Amino acid sequence: MNILIVGTGYVGTTTGLIFCEHGHKITGLDLDERKIQALKGGSLHFYEPGLQDLLKKHTQARNIVFTNNTEKAIKENDVIFICVGTPQGADGSADLTFVKNVAKSIGQHINRYKVIVTKSTVPVGTAEIVTSVIKENQKAPIPFDVVSNPEFLREGSALDDALHPDRIVIGTTSETARTIMRELYKDFHCPFVETQPKASEMIKYAANSFLALKISYINELARVCDKLSINVNDISKGIGLDQRIGPQFLKAGMGYGGSCFPKDVNALIHTAKQQGTPLSILEAVVKVNTEQPVYFIEKIKQALGGSLQNKTIAVLGLSFKANTDDTRESPSFILLDRLLEEQAIVKTHDPMVKSGASHQCMTIEETVTGADALVISTDWDDYKHLNWGRIKPLMKQPNIFDGRNMVDKERVKELGFYYIGVSNH
Ligand code: UDX
C-alpha cells in the first residue's frame, strides 16, 4: 500500500518506519524544509533509541522517501496518516490548526478515493471536523473515509511500543476503510478494538489520563507516607502486584511531564467541562502534579537549613524522562526556575539535552564539584550507577536529593552521604 505520513515528528517518523518494516512504501511529508532535508539524508532531527538505524536502513532501500510537495504527495497516496502536532490552546483545549490545514490540503488535491487516518491525539469529534473541512475544499465530490487510529507509543521506547502495541484501535463508520486498516495492520499480533471514531478518539485521552492519574495517586500517597516514615516504593510494589492494579506508572517522583500527559489531561478536562460534566478527578490529578516538584523543592530547602540562597545545587537531568532529549513540560525546569528564584547557584547536566545555558556542564563530575547538594531529576541510567566514592570528595556537602528514587540509598548512606528521596525511607 502507498502510505503518506503527514508530519515527521516522533509519531509520524516512527509510524512510517514501522510500516516500512512491515513491507509498505512510505512517503513522509512535512512543511519544515530543514527536517525534510535532514530526513532525506538519513538523519533524525530528534533522539530516539533505535530509530536512527531504522531510518538509514529504509531511506537507503528507498522504502521511505521524504518530501515537502503537498499536492504530489496527496495525489500519489491512497492512505494518508495525519501525524501533525495538536498543541495546547490558551483555554486548555487542543489546537487543531495543523490538523485542519492538512484536511484542507487533502480536500484541494484529492484525486481518487482515499482513507484519511488521524493518528495525532485529537479531541472527540475531530473525525467529523476533518470530514467537513475536506468536503468544503473539494472541487468535485470524490469519495473518502476518515478513520481515527490513535498512537500509544512512548518517547524513549517508541520503536518497541509501535512494533509491539498492546492493542490497535480503529474508529470508523466505513466498512471499506475498516477493511483497508485491517489489511494495513495484518501482521500485528495484538487485540484490535474496532469502534466509532468518537470512541476511538476518547480512548486515547482516557488512556493517557488514567496513566497520569496513577502517577498523581502514588505521588500524593507518597506525601502521606513521608509523614508516616513509610517507603512509598514498598507500597507501589505491594499494590502493583495485584493484577487488577498492575505495577506500571506507580513510580513516585517529581511529577509527570512530556508532550502528552500535561496537554492531554487538560484537553480532556476541557472537553468534559464543555459537556457540563466536569471531570473533577482529573482536576485533582493536575493539582497534585503541579504541587509535586514544589513539595520536593521544599524538602531540599528544609534539609539545607531553610534557605537556598547562594547554595550550589547540581541538577542531574533536564529531559522529562530518560532516553529522550525532549524537555517539554519537564519537571526539571520547574525545579530550575524555583532554585533560581530562591537565589541558589545552579549547575546542570544531561546526557542528551544540550540546553546551551551557561549553567550546563559537560560532565557529571564538573556539575557536582563544589555543590552543596545534588538533585536527581531525570531517571537516566547514567545517574543510577554513579561512582559515589569519587563523587563525594568533589562536593562541598554530601547531600543527595533523589527525585526519582533510583539511587541505592543504603550504599550512599554507608559512604557518608545524607540522602532524601520521594518518601524513600
Ligand atoms: C505517554 C504515554 O505513555 C503514551 O502512551 C502516549 O502515546 C504519549 O504519552 P510519554 O509522554 O512518551 O508517553 O512518556 P511516559 O513514559 O508515559 O511518561 C510520562 C511522564 O510520567 C514522564 O515524565 C515520566 O517520568 C512520568 N512517570 C511515568 C512517572 O513519574 N512515574 C511513572 O511511574 C511513570
Side-chain angles (χ1 to χ4, degrees), residues 279-311:
L279 270 165
S280 55
I281 198 161
L282 290 187
E283 288 168 15
V285 166
V286 174
K287 182 170 175 285
V288 169
N289 199 57
T290 312
E291 290 164 357
Q292 191 66 8
V294 180
Y295 150 81
F296 196 61
I297 293 158
E298 254 337 286
K299 284 176 78 80
I300 301 173
K301 192 171 163 182
Q302 292 319 318
L304 294 182
S307 166
L308 295 170
Q309 196 174 10
N310 294 326
K311 298 267 165 44

Side-chain angles (χ1 to χ4, degrees), residues 151-155 204 208 211 215 249-251 255-257 260-261 320-321 404:
E151 179 53 59
F152 299 96
L153 62 81
R154 288 164 297 178
E155 292 181 21
K204 171 70 192 196
N208 271 359
L211 294 172
I215 298 169
F249 288 76
L250 282 181
K251 249 193 261 151
Y256 59 78
C260 295
F261 284 0
F320 80 95
K321 65 171 191 177
R404 296 289 190 156

Side-chain angles (χ1 to χ4, degrees), residues 155-193:
E155 292 181 21
S157 55
L159 210 50
D160 199 46
D161 290 347
L163 278 169
H164 311 287
D166 290 340
R167 77 301 208 184
I168 288 167
V169 179
I170 297 172
T172 183
T173 49
S174 153
E175 200 47 53
T176 313
R178 194 172 299 125
T179 307
I180 290 173
M181 294 302 286
R182 280 183 196 152
E183 175 63 21
L184 193 62
Y185 283 114
K186 70 176 187 318
D187 296 328
F188 287 73
H189 305 291
C190 66
F192 280 58
V193 179

